[in-house]
């Protein structure tokens, strides 16, 4: 369906981003992976994905909290590969703490990665998409782009911010055949969430089991984690021609969480 298109998925060495990269590769897309990890594991991942789906898979290991590195990556990708057709802003980190003791360096890191990195990738890759008169920008936001939880000041601020950015980009790019949407997942069991269980238990003075049952799955009416394939399948649909009129939308995949 997406044969010959090229997609950059940020934060795609793990979790949701990795599932999205696999799904887009399965649809025939050439893939640019990004994120952190062991070089040997990433080399193996690139080879495996390229071999399985018969697509080109390259890797950009830039730290997206550094705007200069994002600029260098965009220049390389545009020069060597002719730009991208699909941009998935997925890389993100989380930190859980009451605001009075929230470390200021964690605030800066979360705003830089979960919000500002998307501003930079969009501003740098949009011109080439406009030239092709086709593009798909998908921001992996969160249910926390729609509602708040205590102890997540930076994350909720960044995710609400990316919701606003999504709408602005959608309006600016709409007449160029480019859509921009945000997906707002509920809890998905990835390494990001694993790390959060202990921090949340500490911040709320409750057990790990209670964090999973009451805090994470409590508001999800389905009482189960969202699966990565449920997000990657939807990304694939948003890239299709059938989704050409869906733009500027904040789209929950949250097991009913934000219906409360
Ligand atoms: P994850 O920890 O499994 O993966 C995060 C990815 O980002 C990894 O590839 C990591 O290497 C990369 N990364 C981290 N810092 C980076 C940096 N400075 N520069 C470049 N890459 C960096 O996380 P995940 O759960 O798959 O989360 C992916 C996205 O989905 C995040 O934006 C997160 O906020 C969002 N999200 C996750 C959940 C969930 O429950 N897991 C729910 C809603 C939204």
């Amino acid at each position: 369906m997406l044969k010959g298109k090229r997609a950059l998925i940020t934060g795609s060495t793990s979790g949701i981003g990795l599932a999205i990269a696999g799904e887009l590769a399965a649809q025939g897309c050439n893939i640019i992976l990004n994120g952190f990890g062991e070089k040997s594991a990433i080399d193996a991942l690139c080879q495996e994905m390229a071999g399985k789906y018969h697509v080109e898979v390259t890797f950009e290991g830039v730290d997206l909290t550094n705007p200069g590195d994002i600029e260098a990556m965009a220049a390389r990708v545009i020069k060597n590969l002719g730009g991208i057709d699909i941009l998935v802003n997925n890389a993100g980190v989380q930190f859980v703490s009451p605001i009075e003791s929230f470390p200021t360096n964690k605030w800066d890191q979360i705003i830089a990665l979960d919000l500002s990195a998307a501003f930079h990738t969009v501003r740098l890759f949009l011109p080439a998409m406009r030239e092709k008169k086709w593009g798909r920008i998908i921001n992996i936001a969160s249910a926390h782009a729609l509602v708040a939880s205590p102890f997540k000041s930076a994350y909720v601020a960044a995710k609400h911010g990316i919701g606003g950015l999504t709408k602005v980009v959608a309006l600016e790019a709409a007449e160029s055949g480019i859509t921009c949407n945000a997906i707002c997942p509920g809890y998905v069991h990835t390494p990001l969430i694993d790390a959060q269980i202990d921090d949340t238990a500490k911040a709320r003075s409750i057990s790990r089991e209670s964090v999973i049952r009451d805090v994470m799955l409590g508001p999800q009416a389905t009482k189960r984690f969202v699966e990565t394939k449920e997000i990657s399948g939807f990304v694939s649909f948003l890239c299709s021609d059938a989704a050409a009129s869906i733009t500027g939308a904040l789209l929950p995949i949250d097991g009913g969480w934000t219906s409360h």
Side-chain angles (χ1 to χ4, degrees):
M1 183 177 79
L2 298 171
K3 205 167 172 41
K5 305 267 190 228
R6 192 175 301 276
L8 166 64
I9 304 100
T10 69
S12 45
T13 54
S14 167
I16 296 170
L18 181 56
I20 293 170
E23 172 67 30
L24 293 181
Q27 300 296 328
C29 240
N30 297 316
I31 300 294
I32 305 171
L33 297 170
N34 159 261
F36 299 148
E38 290 290 322
K39 186 181 178 315
S40 55
I42 291 169
D43 287 348
L45 178 61
C46 290
Q47 272 180 22
E48 187 197 328
M49 203 177 277
K52 187 169 176 190
Y53 300 115
H54 308 288
V55 295
E56 280 176 33
V57 182
T58 51
F59 175 67
E60 285 284 347
V62 303
D63 181 342
L64 298 170
T65 60
N66 185 341
D69 288 356
I70 302 177
E71 285 177 5
M73 171 179 72
R76 254 191 321 273
V77 166
I78 290 165
K79 181 166 174 257
N80 299 338
L81 303 171
I84 54 173
D85 307 285
I86 297 166
L87 169 63
V88 183
N89 287 306
N90 166 78
V93 285
Q94 168 68 285
F95 193 80
V96 180
S97 165
I99 193 162
E100 300 94 317
S101 51
F102 207 96
T104 56
N105 64 335
K106 288 288 177 196
W107 170 276
D108 290 343
Q109 181 200 14
I110 291 172
I111 299 298
L113 183 62
D114 296 23
L115 176 58
S116 301
F119 161 71
H120 293 296
T121 54
V122 169
R123 77 179 170 82
L124 293 163
F125 285 111
L126 192 59
M129 285 185 188
R130 281 196 199 277
E131 272 176 33
K132 294 183 188 177
K133 298 197 184 319
W134 195 94
R136 293 287 186 269
I137 300 170
I138 297 160
N139 298 320
I140 305 303
S142 167
H144 282 118
L146 303 166
V147 295
S149 296
F151 313 123
K152 297 185 177 178
S153 51
Y155 189 80
V156 171
K159 295 297 186 181
H160 273 66
I162 208 159
L165 178 69
T166 298
K167 293 178 188 176
V168 173
V169 173
L171 295 179
E172 291 189 22
E175 290 179 57
S176 301
I178 298 164
T179 67
C180 179
N181 293 290
I183 294 181
C184 302
Y187 285 100
V188 189
H189 208 153
T190 64
L192 179 140
I193 287 303
D194 253 353
Q196 215 185 108
I197 294 172
D198 286 332
D199 293 345
T200 303
K202 199 170 142 200
R204 292 182 182 242
S205 303
I206 55 176
S207 67
R208 277 179 61 87
E209 294 66 33
S210 174
V211 170
I212 294 174
R213 188 189 58 239
D214 304 323
V215 179
M216 295 183 165
L217 300 186
Q220 283 186 197
T222 50
K223 300 299 169 202
R224 65 170 178 85
F225 285 103
V226 175
E227 293 184 29
T228 56
K229 69 173 187 221
E230 295 170 330
I231 298 171
S232 60
F234 192 50
V235 167
S236 178
F237 172 70
L238 287 176
C239 291
S240 72
D241 289 339
S245 291
I246 303 175
T247 196
L250 275 57
L251 302 155
I253 305 182
D254 64 3
W257 172 356
T258 54
S259 299
H260 285 286

